[in-house]
């Protein structure tokens, strides 16, 4: 599952089920795999109903002293996250955000929940609000290249409206975040692309060949050529 080999993971789950091995944790991962492999509004809507029912049954069982020990999900926040992600698939961002807020209230301010909240805000173009929550995530995961990229994207969007011939402050901050992502993961193609895109925008504004040279000095030529610097 963690290596995105979803078909193999689904096969293992099926064999485990045939052998009579069942657990709530396994069922949760089955739902995760289905969300990532099934497509279409009808399938997602059906899956959403199944996950909500499973969540309600799980917590009812957990509240029953006779069955509490059978509840084996390590991170119960993942249950709400699956529901929130399915709402997101269905383009119901309000329901997705309500689910995440409920999850935070029930399970606490865990990084995965805060990250999902930031993603939802960014998807609604609320970049300043998203930035606030990505900052919280990176405080706990400073070595995660992807969160640095998301911070950079928010800063880039916030600064995009600042008309200037030079890198504005937000664009400079975005560049720092993208470069941090490259430092953490030198092969992160998106980070390289975003750096070069910033330089392209700067070059188009100024027609300054120094910008072009700096872009080539900082990035691999293939990325410069790809974005047209």
């Amino acid at each position: 599952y963690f290596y995105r080999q979803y078909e193999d993971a689904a096969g293992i789950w099926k064999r485990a089920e045939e052998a009579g091995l069942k657990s709530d944790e396994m069922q949760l991962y089955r739902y995760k795999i289905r969300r990532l492999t099934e497509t279409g509004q009808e399938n997602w809507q059906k899956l959403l109903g199944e996950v909500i029912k499973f969540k309600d049954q799980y917590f009812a069982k957990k509240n029953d002293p006779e069955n509490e020990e059978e509840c084996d999900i390590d991170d119960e926040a993942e249950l709400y996250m699956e529901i929130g992600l399915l709402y997101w698939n269905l383009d119901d961002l309000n329901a997705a955000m309500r689910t995440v807020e409920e999850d935070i209230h029930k399970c606490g301010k865990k990084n995965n929940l805060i990250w999902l909240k930031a993603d939802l805000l960014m998807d609604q173009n609320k970049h300043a609000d998203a930035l606030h929550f990505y900052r919280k995530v990176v405080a706990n995961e400073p070595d995660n290249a992807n969160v640095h990229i998301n911070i950079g994207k928010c800063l880039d969007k916030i600064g995009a409206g600042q008309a200037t011939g030079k890198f504005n402050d937000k664009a400079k901050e975005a560049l720092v975040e993208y470069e941090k992502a490259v430092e953490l993961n030198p092969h992160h193609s998106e980070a390289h692309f975003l750096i070069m895109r910033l330089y392209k925008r700067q070059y188009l504004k100024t027609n300054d060949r120094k910008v072009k040279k700096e872009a080539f000095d900082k990035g691999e030529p293939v990325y410069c050529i790809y974005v047209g610097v």
Side-chain angles (χ1 to χ4, degrees), residues 83-96:
I83 295 170
L85 288 165
L86 282 165
Y87 276 126
W88 196 0
N89 281 6
L90 292 164
D91 294 323
D92 192 341
L93 295 178
N94 290 331

Side-chain angles (χ1 to χ4, degrees), residues 31-94:
Y31 288 136
K32 287 175 177 286
I33 291 166
R34 287 178 60 191
R35 174 178 56 79
L36 292 163
T37 56
E38 295 181 5
T39 59
Q41 299 279 313
E42 186 176 344
N43 286 331
W44 290 329
Q45 191 68 56
K46 180 182 176 182
L47 181 57
L48 175 62
E50 291 181 31
V51 179
I52 290 174
K53 182 178 179 181
F54 173 71
K55 184 259 295 181
D56 292 341
Q57 291 174 339
Y58 177 84
F59 285 109
K61 183 170 64 174
K62 186 174 181 180
N63 290 330
D64 183 350
E66 293 184 2
N67 296 309
E68 182 181 3
E69 291 184 2
E70 297 179 14
C71 300
D72 65 350
I73 295 178
D74 289 334
D75 186 357
E76 293 171 350
E78 296 285 340
L79 267 173
Y80 288 91
M81 283 190 65
E82 281 306 300
I83 295 170
L85 288 165
L86 282 165
Y87 276 126
W88 196 0
N89 281 6
L90 292 164
D91 294 323
D92 192 341
L93 295 178
N94 290 331

Side-chain angles (χ1 to χ4, degrees), residues 145-146 148-149 175-195 218-220 223:
N146 290 326
H148 284 286
I149 284 176
L175 183 61
V176 169
E177 295 295 336
Y178 296 150
E179 289 179 339
K180 180 63 177 179
V182 170
E183 178 185 330
L184 292 167
N185 182 357
H187 303 292
H188 203 305
S189 58
E190 185 181 13
H192 285 285
F193 171 80
L194 290 168
I195 290 170
K218 283 198 173 186
E220 297 175 30
Y223 293 105

Side-chain angles (χ1 to χ4, degrees), residues 28 31 37 46 128 133 136 176 196 209 222:
L28 174 59
Y31 288 136
T37 56
K46 180 182 176 182
F133 289 104
K136 290 180 178 291
V176 169
M196 293 303 106
R209 296 188 66 82
V222 64

Side-chain angles (χ1 to χ4, degrees), residues 124-177:
Q124 297 174 74
N125 295 318
K126 297 179 180 178
H127 298 105
D129 292 335
L131 177 61
H132 170 75
F133 289 104
Y134 283 132
R135 294 283 195 200
K136 290 180 178 291
V137 174
V138 82
N140 293 315
E141 297 186 38
D143 296 331
N144 190 313
N146 290 326
V147 72
H148 284 286
I149 284 176
N150 287 350
I151 289 173
K153 286 178 178 178
C154 287
L155 290 165
D156 196 5
K157 286 288 185 180
I158 293 168
Q162 300 177 9
T164 174
K166 299 179 179 179
F167 274 132
N168 59 53
D169 291 340
K170 295 302 179 185
K172 289 178 181 177
E173 290 179 49
L175 183 61
V176 169
E177 295 295 336

